[in-house]
Amino acid sequence: MSALPPLTAVRAFEAVARHLSFTRAAAELGMTQAAVSYQIRILEERVGTPLFLRRPRQIALSEVGARLAPEVSRAFDLLRASFAETGERAEGMLSLTVTNTFATGWLASQIGQFQLGHPDIAVKIDTSNVLVDFTQEEFDAGIRATGHIPPGLIGHPLAKVEFAPMLKPSLIERYDIREPADLLRVPQISPEDPWLPAWLEMAGVPAAAAVQKPFIGLGSQYLESRATIAGSGVAMLTPLFYAEEVAAGLLAQPFDLVGWVGHHYYFVYPESRRNWTRIKAFRDWIIDATAPLRALEQS
C-alpha cells in the first residue's frame, strides 16, 4: 500500500484485535457495533484479505491479522505514550506574558518563592508591553496594567498602577526642590510619559513647560529608574517598586502626592482555563504574595 489506511479503521482494528469482540470494541470506542464492523470491512478491502475469522459467537484473528495486530498495537502504545508525555510537560510548564515594569520591579525578585513551593511547575516569562491574544499565541496567562478586563478573560487585581516623580536625593538640594513646580527645573527623563502631565495637573502645575527642553527618552520604567539613580534627572516611577532604593538613599520621592488613573496590575487568563492546575497554583500564590503591596496602598 502506498498510503496509510484511514486511522479510524486502524483504530477499530486495534480495539477488536485486543478484545476479540466487536461488541467490547464498540463500547470502548463509543461507536455502534455496525460502525466498527464497517471500519473493519474498509480495512480488509484496503489490505485485500480478511483480518478476522468470523465464527459462531466468536471471532479470531486470521493469519494476516495476527501478524498485523502486534505492530498496530505497538504503534498505538507509542502514540499514547507520546501524547501522555506531551501532556505532562505542558502541565508542568507555565508560560506567562508580563508587562516590563511589573516583571523587573517585582516579579523577578519574587518568582523564586513560587518555584520553591511548586518545584513541579517550570515558569517561562516573556516581558513585553504588547497585548497578547491568548487564542492566537502560546501563553497560558499574563500580568497586565489596565483599567478594563476584556470579555472572555478573568482578571485578579494585584496592585494599583500608581506614579510619582522620583529623583536622586542629591538633586533635591542642587535644584532647590521645595514645591512641585520646582521639578520643572530638573532634566526630564521620558517627558513623553503620560504620567508626567497627569501628576503635574494633580499638583496644580502647568505641564507644558516640562517638555520644551532637551530630554532623555528611554521608554521603559526600569531604564528610567536606572537613569534616575545615576542622577540623570527626574522620572515618573511607581513607588511600590522602589521602596528598597528609597530606603537605601538611592532614590527620593520629594512629594507625598501619588497619581493614579484607575489602572491596576492584573493577573489575567482566559475563562476557559480557570481550572488549569498550573494557573490555579500561580493565581493563588501571586494573590497572596502581592497582599503586602495592596496593604501599602491603603496605609
Side-chain angles (χ1 to χ4, degrees), residues 8-9 12 22 31-45 54:
T8 302
F22 282 88
M31 302 167 65
T32 65
Q33 184 174 335
V36 172
S37 297
Y38 175 71
Q39 293 299 327
I40 296 301
R41 284 200 300 273
I42 290 176
L43 192 59
E44 289 178 330
E45 289 174 3
R54 279 81 168 172

Side-chain angles (χ1 to χ4, degrees), residues 32-279:
T32 65
Q33 184 174 335
V36 172
S37 297
Y38 175 71
Q39 293 299 327
I40 296 301
R41 284 200 300 273
I42 290 176
L43 192 59
E44 289 178 330
E45 289 174 3
R46 188 68 172 269
V47 174
T49 186
L51 298 174
F52 294 97
L53 303 175
R54 279 81 168 172
R55 296 170 179 165
R57 297 186 180 181
Q58 65 177 349
I59 62 170
L61 286 162
S62 68
E63 182 179 347
V64 173
R67 290 201 307 269
L68 190 59
E71 299 300 327
V72 172
S73 180
R74 276 193 287 272
F76 273 92
D77 286 343
L78 179 60
L79 285 172
R80 292 187 190 99
S82 296
F83 278 101
E85 182 180 3
T86 299
E88 289 173 1
R89 288 179 178 175
E91 185 64 26
M93 171 64 76
L94 178 67
S95 181
L96 299 175
T97 170
V98 183
T99 187
N100 280 321
T101 300
F102 193 89
T104 56
W106 187 85
L107 187 59
S109 64
Q110 302 295 322
I111 192 64
Q113 297 301 315
F114 174 77
Q115 299 275 222
L116 287 174
H118 302 82
D120 55 328
I121 300 177
V123 181
K124 178 182 178 182
I125 298 174
D126 178 79
T127 56
S128 171
N129 292 329
V130 177
L131 292 179
V132 166
D133 182 345
F134 289 107
T135 65
Q136 300 295 321
E137 300 190 50
E138 294 185 354
F139 292 104
D140 297 323
I143 296 174
R144 283 289 173 262
T146 182
H148 171 69
I149 303 300
L153 295 183
I154 295 175
H156 302 277
L158 305 177
K160 283 183 177 180
V161 184
E162 296 179 322
F163 50 90
M166 303 185 79
L167 69 170
K168 190 172 183 177
S170 61
L171 295 187
I172 295 178
E173 181 178 354
R174 181 187 306 175
Y175 289 94
D176 192 24
I177 305 300
R178 299 178 182 274
E179 57 186 44
D182 296 334
L183 290 171
L184 299 180
R185 297 196 296 268
V186 184
Q188 301 292 317
I189 297 174
S190 299
E192 74 280 8
D193 186 337
W195 285 353
L196 177 62
W199 188 89
L200 290 173
E201 182 178 353
M202 290 175 59
V205 179
V211 297
Q212 296 177 353
K213 61 179 70 174
F215 61 85
I216 302 169
L218 295 176
S220 159
Q221 189 170 151
Y222 174 76
L223 295 178
E224 290 164 359
S225 70
R226 298 305 96 185
T228 304
I229 290 172
S232 299
V234 61
M236 304 302 295
L237 304 177
T238 300
L240 282 176
F241 298 147
Y242 300 100
E244 292 184 2
E245 286 82 353
V246 170
L250 299 174
L251 283 176
Q253 182 184 332
F255 304 103
D256 292 335
L257 180 64
V258 175
W260 184 54
V261 293
H263 288 189
H264 284 83
Y265 287 106
Y266 285 91
F267 177 54
V268 298
Y269 50 90
E271 292 179 353
S272 59
R273 301 176 187 173
R274 68 174 70 206
N275 293 320
W276 285 20
T277 301
R278 59 188 182 274
I279 288 181

